[in-house]
């Protein structure tokens, strides 16, 4: 089993001084050796979030999650991931196809090898 790491561009909704149309680099990571049920999202500024892979998958179809991480579809081609932490809330908007590609790669990484 191998680590899956995918780079994506996303829009962040924040009170900080970021131009509205500017995208940020985000790293999506899955390590089946460390935790086969979780994915990690690394945002700029050393903000790292780990949460259930199934939450990400469910949230692409309908609103899902409670507590620190929530995911929901936003129109036909985007999805929103909302992170709640001690410093406040970060709302990150992704293209759905980037998240689907990442999820597909995570399932391929954990597929049993047959000979």
């Amino acid at each position: 089993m191998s680590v899956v790491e995918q780079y994506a561009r996303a829009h962040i909704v924040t009170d900080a001084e970021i131009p509205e149309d500017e995208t940020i680099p985000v790293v999506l990571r899955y390590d089946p050796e460390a935790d086969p049920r979780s994915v990690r999202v690394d945002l700029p500024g050393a903000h790292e979030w780990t949460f259930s892979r199934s939450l990400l998958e469910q949230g692409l179809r309908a609103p899902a999650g409670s507590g620190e991480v929530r995911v929901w579809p936003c129109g036909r081609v985007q999805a929103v991931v909302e992170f709640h932490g001690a410093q406040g809330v970060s709302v990150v908007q992704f293209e759905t196809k980037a998240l689907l590609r990442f999820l597909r790669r995570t399932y391929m990484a954990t597929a049993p090898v047959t000979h």
Side-chain angles (χ1 to χ4, degrees), residues 22-42:
E22 188 172 321
T23 59
I24 58 166
V26 177
V27 179
L28 307 169
R29 186 173 171 81
Y30 173 73
D31 186 348
E33 299 279 329
D35 186 354
R37 293 188 177 117
S38 295
V39 294
R40 192 172 86 199
V41 176
D42 295 334

Side-chain angles (χ1 to χ4, degrees), residues 70-105:
R70 299 173 186 156
V71 183
W72 66 88
C74 180
R76 294 175 47 180
V77 297
Q78 296 180 328
V80 171
V81 183
E82 185 178 273
F83 302 102
H84 294 255
Q87 294 81 21
V89 178
S90 295
V91 179
V92 184
Q93 190 173 37
F94 291 90
E95 285 191 19
T96 302
K97 66 182 177 181
L99 297 176
L100 287 171
R101 183 172 43 250
F102 172 67
L103 281 171
R104 190 170 33 252
R105 291 180 64 211

Side-chain angles (χ1 to χ4, degrees), residues 5-20:
E5 191 168 271
Q6 179 175 312
Y7 295 86
R9 304 291 298 171
H11 291 276
I12 189 164
V13 179
T14 180
D15 292 337
E17 295 290 324
I18 296 176
E20 275 188 42

